Coordinates of all heavy atoms in Angstrom, one line a residue:
M1 N 209.5 109.3 83.3 CA 208.6 108.9 82.2 C 208.1 107.5 82.5 O 208.8 106.7 83.0 CB 209.4 109.0 80.9 CG 208.5 108.7 79.7 SD 209.2 109.3 78.2 CE 209.7 107.8 77.4
I2 N 206.8 107.3 82.2 CA 206.2 106.0 82.4 C 206.6 105.1 81.3 O 206.3 105.4 80.1 CB 204.7 106.1 82.5 CG1 204.3 107.0 83.7 CG2 204.0 104.7 82.6 CD1 202.8 107.3 83.8
K3 N 207.1 103.9 81.6 CA 207.5 103.0 80.6 C 206.2 102.2 80.2 O 205.5 101.7 81.1 CB 208.6 102.0 81.1 CG 209.0 101.0 80.0 CD 210.1 100.1 80.5 CE 210.5 99.2 79.4 NZ 211.1 98.0 79.8
M4 N 205.9 102.1 78.9 CA 204.7 101.4 78.5 C 205.1 100.1 77.8 O 205.6 100.1 76.6 CB 203.9 102.2 77.5 CG 202.6 101.6 77.3 SD 201.3 102.6 76.5 CE 201.7 104.2 76.7
S5 N 205.0 99.0 78.5 CA 205.3 97.7 77.9 C 204.0 97.0 77.5 O 202.9 97.4 78.1 CB 206.0 96.8 78.9 OG 205.2 96.5 80.0
P6 N 204.0 96.1 76.5 CA 202.7 95.5 76.1 C 202.0 94.8 77.2 O 200.7 94.8 77.1 CB 203.2 94.6 75.0 CG 204.5 95.1 74.5 CD 205.1 95.7 75.7
D7 N 202.7 94.3 78.1 CA 202.0 93.5 79.2 C 201.9 94.3 80.5 O 201.6 93.8 81.5 CB 202.7 92.2 79.4 CG 204.1 92.4 79.8 OD1 204.7 93.5 79.7 OD2 204.8 91.4 80.2
G8 N 202.2 95.6 80.5 CA 202.2 96.4 81.7 C 200.8 96.9 82.1 O 199.9 96.8 81.4
L9 N 200.8 97.5 83.3 CA 199.6 97.9 83.9 C 198.9 99.1 83.1 O 197.7 99.1 82.8 CB 199.8 98.4 85.3 CG 198.6 98.8 86.1 CD1 197.6 97.7 86.2 CD2 199.0 99.3 87.5
L10 N 199.7 100.0 82.6 CA 199.2 101.1 81.8 C 198.6 100.6 80.5 O 197.5 101.0 80.1 CB 200.3 102.1 81.5 CG 199.9 103.4 80.7 CD1 198.7 104.1 81.5 CD2 201.0 104.3 80.5
S11 N 199.3 99.6 79.9 CA 198.7 99.1 78.6 C 197.4 98.4 78.9 O 196.5 98.5 78.1 CB 199.8 98.1 78.1 OG 199.3 97.4 76.9
E12 N 197.3 97.7 80.0 CA 196.0 97.0 80.3 C 195.0 98.0 80.6 O 193.8 97.9 80.2 CB 196.2 96.1 81.6 CG 197.0 94.9 81.3 CD 196.2 93.9 80.4 OE1 195.0 93.7 80.7 OE2 196.9 93.3 79.5
A13 N 195.3 99.1 81.3 CA 194.3 100.2 81.6 C 193.8 100.8 80.3 O 192.6 101.1 80.2 CB 195.0 101.2 82.5
I14 N 194.7 101.0 79.4 CA 194.3 101.6 78.1 C 193.3 100.6 77.4 O 192.3 101.1 76.9 CB 195.5 101.8 77.2 CG1 196.3 103.0 77.7 CG2 195.1 102.0 75.7 CD1 197.7 103.2 77.0
A15 N 193.6 99.3 77.4 CA 192.7 98.4 76.8 C 191.4 98.3 77.4 O 190.3 98.4 76.7 CB 193.4 97.0 76.8
Y16 N 191.3 98.3 78.7 CA 190.0 98.2 79.5 C 189.3 99.6 79.3 O 188.0 99.5 79.2 CB 190.2 97.9 80.9 CG 190.5 96.4 81.1 CD1 191.7 95.9 81.4 CD2 189.4 95.5 81.0 CE1 191.9 94.6 81.6 CE2 189.6 94.1 81.2 CZ 190.9 93.7 81.4 OH 191.1 92.3 81.6
G17 N 190.0 100.7 79.3 CA 189.3 102.0 79.1 C 188.6 102.0 77.7 O 187.5 102.4 77.6
G18 N 189.4 101.6 76.7 CA 188.8 101.6 75.4 C 187.6 100.7 75.2 O 186.6 101.0 74.6
M19 N 187.8 99.5 75.8 CA 186.7 98.5 75.8 C 185.4 99.0 76.5 O 184.3 98.9 75.9 CB 187.1 97.2 76.5 CG 186.1 96.2 76.6 SD 186.4 94.9 77.7 CE 186.4 95.7 79.3
L20 N 185.6 99.7 77.6 CA 184.4 100.2 78.4 C 183.7 101.3 77.6 O 182.5 101.4 77.6 CB 184.9 100.7 79.8 CG 185.2 99.6 80.8 CD1 185.8 100.2 82.0 CD2 184.0 98.7 81.1
L21 N 184.5 102.2 76.9 CA 183.9 103.2 76.1 C 183.1 102.7 75.0 O 182.0 103.1 74.7 CB 185.0 104.2 75.6 CG 185.5 105.2 76.6 CD1 186.8 105.8 76.1 CD2 184.5 106.2 77.0
I22 N 183.6 101.7 74.3 CA 182.9 101.1 73.1 C 181.7 100.3 73.6 O 180.6 100.5 73.0 CB 183.9 100.2 72.3 CG1 184.9 101.1 71.5 CG2 183.1 99.4 71.3 CD1 185.9 100.4 70.7
L23 N 181.9 99.5 74.6 CA 180.7 98.8 75.1 C 179.7 99.7 75.7 O 178.5 99.5 75.5 CB 181.2 97.8 76.2 CG 181.9 96.5 75.6 CD1 182.4 95.7 76.8 CD2 181.1 95.8 74.7
G24 N 180.1 100.7 76.4 CA 179.1 101.7 76.9 C 178.3 102.4 75.9 O 177.1 102.5 76.0
A25 N 179.0 102.8 74.8 CA 178.3 103.4 73.7 C 177.3 102.5 73.0 O 176.2 102.8 72.7 CB 179.3 103.9 72.6
F26 N 177.8 101.2 72.9 CA 176.9 100.2 72.2 C 175.7 100.0 73.1 O 174.5 99.9 72.6 CB 177.7 99.0 72.0 CG 176.9 97.8 71.4 CD1 176.4 97.9 70.1 CD2 176.5 96.8 72.2 CE1 175.7 96.8 69.6 CE2 175.7 95.7 71.7 CZ 175.3 95.8 70.4
I27 N 175.9 99.8 74.4 CA 174.7 99.5 75.3 C 173.8 100.7 75.3 O 172.6 100.5 75.2 CB 175.3 99.2 76.7 CG1 175.9 97.9 76.7 CG2 174.1 99.3 77.7 CD1 176.7 97.6 78.0
L28 N 174.3 101.9 75.4 CA 173.4 103.1 75.3 C 172.7 103.2 74.0 O 171.5 103.6 74.0 CB 174.2 104.4 75.6 CG 174.8 104.5 77.0 CD1 175.8 105.7 77.1 CD2 173.7 104.6 78.0
E29 N 173.3 102.9 72.9 CA 172.6 102.9 71.6 C 171.5 101.9 71.5 O 170.4 102.1 71.0 CB 173.7 102.8 70.5 CG 173.2 103.2 69.1 CD 172.5 102.0 68.4 OE1 172.8 100.9 68.7 OE2 171.7 102.3 67.5
T30 N 171.8 100.6 72.0 CA 170.8 99.6 71.9 C 169.7 99.8 72.8 O 168.6 99.2 72.7 CB 171.5 98.2 72.1 OG1 172.1 98.2 73.4 CG2 172.5 97.9 71.0
R31 N 169.9 100.6 73.9 CA 168.8 100.9 74.8 C 168.1 102.2 74.4 O 167.3 102.7 75.2 CB 169.3 101.0 76.2 CG 170.1 99.8 76.8 CD 169.1 98.7 77.0 NE 169.8 97.5 77.6 CZ 170.3 96.5 76.9 NH1 170.2 96.5 75.6 NH2 170.9 95.5 77.5
D32 N 168.4 102.7 73.3 CA 167.7 104.0 72.7 C 168.0 105.2 73.6 O 167.2 106.1 73.7 CB 166.2 103.8 72.5 CG 165.9 102.8 71.4 OD1 166.7 102.8 70.4 OD2 164.9 102.1 71.5
V33 N 169.1 105.2 74.3 CA 169.5 106.3 75.1 C 170.3 107.3 74.2 O 170.1 108.5 74.3 CB 170.4 105.9 76.3 CG1 170.9 107.1 77.1 CG2 169.6 105.0 77.3
L34 N 171.1 106.8 73.3 CA 171.9 107.5 72.4 C 171.6 107.0 71.0 O 171.4 105.8 70.8 CB 173.4 107.4 72.6 CG 174.0 108.1 73.9 CD1 175.5 107.8 74.0 CD2 173.7 109.6 73.9
D35 N 171.7 107.9 70.0 CA 171.6 107.5 68.6 C 173.0 107.3 68.1 O 173.9 108.0 68.5 CB 170.8 108.6 67.8 CG 170.6 108.2 66.4 OD1 169.6 107.5 66.1 OD2 171.4 108.6 65.5
S36 N 173.1 106.4 67.1 CA 174.5 106.2 66.6 C 175.1 107.4 65.8 O 176.2 107.4 65.5 CB 174.5 104.9 65.6 OG 173.6 105.2 64.5
K37 N 174.2 108.4 65.5 CA 174.8 109.6 64.9 C 174.9 110.7 65.9 O 175.2 111.9 65.6 CB 173.8 110.0 63.8 CG 173.9 109.0 62.6 CD 173.1 109.5 61.4 CE 173.3 108.7 60.2 NZ 173.2 107.3 60.3
N38 N 174.7 110.4 67.2 CA 174.8 111.4 68.3 C 176.3 111.7 68.6 O 177.1 110.7 68.5 CB 174.2 110.8 69.5 CG 174.3 111.7 70.7 OD1 175.3 111.8 71.3 ND2 173.2 112.4 71.1
G39 N 176.6 112.9 68.8 CA 178.0 113.3 69.0 C 178.7 112.6 70.2 O 179.9 112.2 70.1
I40 N 178.0 112.4 71.3 CA 178.5 111.7 72.4 C 178.8 110.2 72.1 O 179.9 109.7 72.4 CB 177.6 111.8 73.7 CG1 177.4 113.2 74.1 CG2 178.0 110.9 74.8 CD1 176.4 113.5 75.1
Y41 N 177.9 109.6 71.4 CA 178.1 108.2 71.0 C 179.4 108.1 70.1 O 180.2 107.3 70.3 CB 176.9 107.7 70.2 CG 177.1 106.4 69.6 CD1 176.8 105.2 70.3 CD2 177.5 106.3 68.2 CE1 177.0 103.9 69.7 CE2 177.7 105.0 67.7 CZ 177.4 103.9 68.4 OH 177.6 102.6 67.8
L42 N 179.5 109.0 69.1 CA 180.6 109.0 68.2 C 181.9 109.3 68.9 O 183.0 108.7 68.6 CB 180.4 109.9 67.1 CG 179.2 109.5 66.1 CD1 178.9 110.7 65.2 CD2 179.6 108.3 65.3
L43 N 181.9 110.2 69.9 CA 183.1 110.5 70.6 C 183.5 109.3 71.5 O 184.7 109.0 71.6 CB 182.8 111.8 71.5 CG 184.0 112.3 72.3 CD1 185.1 112.7 71.3 CD2 183.6 113.5 73.1
M44 N 182.6 108.7 72.1 CA 182.9 107.5 72.9 C 183.5 106.4 72.0 O 184.5 105.7 72.3 CB 181.6 106.9 73.6 CG 181.1 107.8 74.7 SD 179.5 107.2 75.4 CE 180.1 105.7 76.3
M45 N 182.9 106.2 70.8 CA 183.5 105.2 69.8 C 184.9 105.6 69.3 O 185.8 104.7 69.3 CB 182.5 105.0 68.7 CG 181.2 104.5 69.0 SD 181.3 102.9 69.8 CE 181.3 101.8 68.4
A46 N 185.0 106.9 69.0 CA 186.4 107.3 68.5 C 187.4 107.2 69.6 O 188.5 106.7 69.3 CB 186.3 108.8 68.0
T47 N 187.1 107.6 70.8 CA 188.1 107.5 71.9 C 188.4 106.0 72.2 O 189.5 105.6 72.4 CB 187.6 108.3 73.1 OG1 187.3 109.6 72.7 CG2 188.6 108.3 74.2
G48 N 187.3 105.2 72.3 CA 187.5 103.8 72.7 C 188.3 103.1 71.6 O 189.2 102.3 72.0
S49 N 188.0 103.3 70.4 CA 188.7 102.6 69.3 C 190.1 103.1 69.2 O 191.1 102.4 68.9 CB 188.0 102.6 68.0 OG 187.8 104.0 67.6
G50 N 190.3 104.4 69.5 CA 191.7 105.0 69.5 C 192.5 104.3 70.6 O 193.7 104.0 70.3
L51 N 192.0 104.2 71.8 CA 192.7 103.5 72.9 C 193.0 102.1 72.5 O 194.1 101.6 72.8 CB 191.9 103.6 74.2 CG 191.8 105.0 74.8 CD1 190.8 105.0 75.9 CD2 193.2 105.5 75.2
L52 N 192.0 101.4 72.0 CA 192.3 100.0 71.6 C 193.3 99.9 70.5 O 194.0 98.9 70.4 CB 191.0 99.3 71.3 CG 190.0 99.0 72.4 CD1 188.7 98.4 71.9 CD2 190.7 98.0 73.4
G53 N 193.3 100.9 69.6 CA 194.3 100.9 68.6 C 195.7 101.1 69.1 O 196.7 100.4 68.7
I54 N 195.9 101.9 70.2 CA 197.2 102.0 70.8 C 197.6 100.7 71.4 O 198.7 100.2 71.3 CB 197.1 103.1 71.9 CG1 196.9 104.5 71.3 CG2 198.3 103.1 72.8 CD1 196.6 105.6 72.3
R55 N 196.6 100.0 72.1 CA 196.9 98.7 72.7 C 197.3 97.7 71.6 O 198.3 96.9 71.8 CB 195.7 98.3 73.5 CG 195.7 96.9 74.0 CD 196.8 96.6 75.0 NE 196.6 95.2 75.4 CZ 197.3 94.6 76.3 NH1 198.2 95.2 77.0 NH2 197.0 93.3 76.6
A56 N 196.6 97.7 70.5 CA 196.9 96.8 69.4 C 198.3 97.0 68.9 O 199.0 96.1 68.6 CB 195.9 96.9 68.3
F57 N 198.7 98.3 68.8 CA 200.0 98.6 68.3 C 201.1 98.1 69.3 O 202.1 97.5 68.9 CB 200.2 100.1 68.2 CG 201.6 100.5 67.8 CD1 202.0 100.4 66.5 CD2 202.4 101.1 68.7 CE1 203.3 100.8 66.1 CE2 203.7 101.4 68.4 CZ 204.1 101.3 67.1
L58 N 200.8 98.3 70.6 CA 201.8 97.8 71.6 C 202.0 96.3 71.7 O 203.1 95.9 71.9 CB 201.3 98.3 73.0 CG 201.4 99.8 73.3 CD1 200.7 100.1 74.6 CD2 202.8 100.3 73.2
V59 N 200.9 95.6 71.4 CA 201.0 94.1 71.4 C 201.2 93.5 70.0 O 201.2 92.3 69.9 CB 199.8 93.5 72.2 CG1 199.8 93.9 73.6 CG2 198.5 93.7 71.4
E60 N 201.4 94.4 69.1 CA 201.7 94.0 67.7 C 200.6 93.1 67.1 O 200.8 92.2 66.4 CB 203.0 93.4 67.6 CG 204.2 94.3 68.0 CD 205.5 93.7 67.9 OE1 205.7 92.4 67.7 OE2 206.5 94.4 68.1
E61 N 199.3 93.5 67.3 CA 198.2 92.8 66.7 C 197.7 93.7 65.5 O 196.9 94.6 65.7 CB 197.0 92.7 67.7 CG 197.3 91.7 68.8 CD 197.2 90.3 68.3 OE1 196.6 90.0 67.3 OE2 197.7 89.4 69.0
W62 N 198.3 93.5 64.4 CA 198.2 94.4 63.2 C 196.8 94.4 62.6 O 196.3 95.4 62.3 CB 199.3 94.0 62.2 CG 200.6 94.0 62.8 CD1 201.5 93.0 62.8 CD2 201.3 95.1 63.5 NE1 202.7 93.4 63.5 CE2 202.5 94.6 64.0 CE3 200.9 96.4 63.9 CZ2 203.4 95.4 64.7 CZ3 201.8 97.2 64.7 CH2 203.0 96.7 65.0
A63 N 196.2 93.2 62.6 CA 194.8 93.2 62.0 C 193.8 94.0 62.9 O 193.0 94.8 62.4 CB 194.3 91.8 61.8
F64 N 194.0 93.8 64.2 CA 193.2 94.5 65.2 C 193.5 96.0 65.1 O 192.6 96.9 65.2 CB 193.4 94.0 66.6 CG 192.4 94.5 67.6 CD1 191.1 94.3 67.5 CD2 192.9 95.1 68.7 CE1 190.2 94.7 68.4 CE2 192.0 95.6 69.7 CZ 190.6 95.4 69.5
L65 N 194.8 96.4 64.9 CA 195.2 97.8 64.8 C 194.5 98.4 63.6 O 193.9 99.5 63.7 CB 196.7 97.9 64.7 CG 197.2 99.3 64.4 CD1 196.9 100.3 65.5 CD2 198.7 99.3 64.1
I66 N 194.5 97.7 62.5 CA 193.8 98.3 61.3 C 192.3 98.5 61.5 O 191.7 99.5 61.2 CB 194.0 97.4 60.1 CG1 195.5 97.4 59.7 CG2 193.2 97.8 58.9 CD1 196.0 96.4 58.7
L67 N 191.7 97.5 62.1 CA 190.3 97.6 62.5 C 190.0 98.8 63.3 O 189.1 99.6 63.0 CB 189.8 96.3 63.2 CG 188.4 96.3 63.8 CD1 187.4 96.4 62.6 CD2 188.2 95.2 64.7
E68 N 190.8 99.0 64.4 CA 190.5 100.1 65.3 C 190.8 101.5 64.7 O 190.1 102.4 65.0 CB 191.3 99.9 66.6 CG 190.9 98.7 67.4 CD 189.4 98.7 67.7 OE1 188.8 99.8 68.0 OE2 188.8 97.6 67.8
V69 N 191.8 101.5 63.8 CA 192.2 102.8 63.2 C 191.0 103.2 62.2 O 190.6 104.3 62.2 CB 193.5 102.7 62.4 CG1 193.7 103.9 61.4 CG2 194.7 102.7 63.4
V70 N 190.5 102.2 61.5 CA 189.4 102.5 60.5 C 188.2 102.9 61.3 O 187.5 103.8 61.0 CB 189.1 101.3 59.6 CG1 187.8 101.5 58.8 CG2 190.3 101.1 58.7
W71 N 187.9 102.2 62.4 CA 186.7 102.5 63.2 C 186.8 103.9 63.8 O 185.9 104.7 63.8 CB 186.6 101.5 64.4 CG 185.3 101.3 65.0 CD1 184.2 102.2 65.0 CD2 184.8 100.2 65.8 NE1 183.2 101.7 65.7 CE2 183.5 100.5 66.2 CE3 185.4 99.0 66.1 CZ2 182.8 99.6 67.0 CZ3 184.7 98.1 66.9 CH2 183.4 98.4 67.3
C72 N 188.0 104.2 64.3 CA 188.2 105.5 64.9 C 188.1 106.6 63.8 O 187.4 107.6 64.1 CB 189.6 105.6 65.5 SG 190.0 107.1 66.3
L73 N 188.7 106.4 62.7 CA 188.6 107.4 61.6 C 187.1 107.6 61.1 O 186.7 108.7 60.9 CB 189.5 107.0 60.4 CG 191.0 107.2 60.7 CD1 191.8 106.6 59.5 CD2 191.3 108.6 61.0
A74 N 186.4 106.5 61.1 CA 185.0 106.6 60.7 C 184.2 107.4 61.7 O 183.3 108.3 61.3 CB 184.3 105.2 60.6
A75 N 184.4 107.3 62.9 CA 183.8 108.0 64.0 C 184.2 109.5 63.9 O 183.3 110.4 64.0 CB 184.0 107.5 65.4
I76 N 185.4 109.8 63.7 CA 185.9 111.2 63.6 C 185.3 111.9 62.3 O 184.9 113.0 62.4 CB 187.5 111.2 63.5 CG1 188.0 110.8 64.9 CG2 188.0 112.6 63.1 CD1 189.5 110.6 64.9
V77 N 185.2 111.1 61.2 CA 184.6 111.7 60.0 C 183.1 112.0 60.3 O 182.6 113.1 59.9 CB 184.8 110.8 58.8 CG1 183.9 111.2 57.6 CG2 186.3 110.7 58.4
A78 N 182.5 111.1 61.0 CA 181.0 111.3 61.3 C 180.9 112.6 62.2 O 180.0 113.4 62.1 CB 180.4 110.1 61.9
I79 N 181.8 112.7 63.2 CA 181.7 113.9 64.1 C 181.9 115.1 63.3 O 181.2 116.1 63.5 CB 182.8 113.7 65.2 CG1 182.4 112.6 66.2 CG2 183.0 115.1 65.9 CD1 183.5 112.2 67.1
Y80 N 182.9 115.1 62.4 CA 183.1 116.3 61.5 C 181.9 116.6 60.7 O 181.5 117.8 60.6 CB 184.3 116.0 60.6 CG 184.6 117.1 59.6 CD1 185.1 118.3 60.0 CD2 184.2 117.0 58.3 CE1 185.3 119.3 59.1 CE2 184.4 118.0 57.3 CZ 184.9 119.2 57.7 OH 185.1 120.2 56.8
G81 N 181.2 115.6 60.2 CA 180.0 115.8 59.4 C 178.9 116.4 60.2 O 178.2 117.3 59.7
I82 N 178.7 116.0 61.4 CA 177.7 116.5 62.3 C 178.1 118.0 62.6 O 177.2 118.8 62.6 CB 177.6 115.7 63.6 CG1 177.0 114.3 63.3 CG2 176.8 116.4 64.6 CD1 177.0 113.4 64.5
T83 N 179.3 118.2 62.9 CA 179.8 119.6 63.3 C 179.6 120.5 62.1 O 179.1 121.6 62.3 CB 181.2 119.6 63.7 OG1 181.4 118.6 64.8 CG2 181.7 120.9 64.2
R84 N 179.9 120.1 60.9 CA 179.8 120.9 59.7 C 178.3 121.1 59.4 O 178.0 122.3 59.1 CB 180.5 120.2 58.6 CG 180.5 120.9 57.3 CD 181.5 120.4 56.3 NE 181.3 120.9 55.0 CZ 181.6 122.1 54.5 NH1 182.1 123.0 55.4 NH2 181.4 122.5 53.3
K85 N 177.5 120.1 59.5 CA 176.1 120.3 59.2 C 175.4 121.3 60.2 O 174.7 122.2 59.8 CB 175.3 119.0 59.3 CG 173.9 119.0 59.0 CD 173.2 117.7 59.1 CE 171.7 117.7 58.8 NZ 170.9 118.7 59.4
T86 N 175.8 121.2 61.5 CA 175.3 122.1 62.5 C 175.7 123.5 62.2 O 174.9 124.4 62.3 CB 175.7 121.7 63.9 OG1 175.3 120.3 64.1 CG2 175.2 122.6 65.0
S87 N 177.0 123.7 61.8 CA 177.5 125.0 61.5 C 176.8 125.6 60.3 O 176.4 126.8 60.3 CB 179.0 124.9 61.2 OG 179.5 126.1 60.8
L88 N 176.5 124.8 59.3 CA 175.8 125.3 58.1 C 174.4 125.6 58.4 O 173.9 126.6 57.9 CB 175.9 124.2 56.9 CG 177.3 124.0 56.3 CD1 177.3 122.8 55.3 CD2 177.8 125.3 55.6
D89 N 173.7 124.8 59.2 CA 172.4 125.0 59.6 C 172.2 126.4 60.3 O 171.3 127.1 60.1 CB 171.8 123.9 60.5 CG 171.6 122.6 59.7 OD1 171.6 122.7 58.4 OD2 171.4 121.6 60.3
E90 N 173.2 126.6 61.2 CA 173.2 127.9 62.0 C 173.4 129.1 61.0 O 172.8 130.2 61.2 CB 174.2 127.9 63.1 CG 173.9 127.0 64.2 CD 174.9 126.9 65.3 OE1 176.0 127.6 65.1 OE2 174.8 126.1 66.2
Q91 N 174.2 128.9 60.0 CA 174.5 130.0 59.1 C 173.2 130.3 58.3 O 172.9 131.5 58.1 CB 175.6 129.6 58.1 CG 177.0 129.7 58.7 CD 178.0 129.3 57.7 OE1 177.7 128.9 56.5 NE2 179.3 129.2 58.1
H92 N 172.5 129.3 57.9 CA 171.2 129.5 57.2 C 170.1 130.2 58.1 O 169.3 130.9 57.5 CB 170.7 128.2 56.6 CG 171.5 127.7 55.5 ND1 171.6 128.3 54.3 CD2 172.3 126.6 55.4 CE1 172.4 127.6 53.5 NE2 172.9 126.5 54.2
L93 N 170.2 129.9 59.3 CA 169.2 130.6 60.2 C 169.4 132.1 60.4 O 168.5 132.8 60.6 CB 169.3 129.9 61.6 CG 168.6 128.5 61.7 CD1 168.9 128.0 63.2 CD2 167.1 128.6 61.5
H94 N 170.7 132.4 60.3 CA 171.1 133.9 60.5 C 171.1 134.7 59.2 O 171.4 135.8 59.2 CB 172.4 134.0 61.1 CG 172.5 133.4 62.5 ND1 171.8 133.9 63.6 CD2 173.1 132.3 63.0 CE1 171.9 133.2 64.6 NE2 172.7 132.2 64.3
E95 N 170.7 134.0 58.1 CA 170.7 134.8 56.8 C 169.4 135.5 56.6 O 168.3 135.3 57.1 CB 170.8 133.8 55.6 CG 172.2 133.2 55.6 CD 172.3 132.2 54.4 OE1 171.4 131.9 53.8 OE2 173.5 131.8 54.1

């Protein structure tokens, strides 16, 4: 089993992975490549903030953990809303 310490290599990789996902989503959105309501954008934000939330927990940064958990949940709720709307739209097309 891999030991995960707050200052370990795996912990750092989690932090950098989360950061790259969030920054990537932001850059793509500001360059009009993705819309902030696009599923890929939201998935990148949810995954990135989830990874940063794990890192915040490991290093006991509680305010940052709360921020990342809320950000992740907001993205997940938005993904659910998009998925639900798409499903309802498809049902209406087949009626």
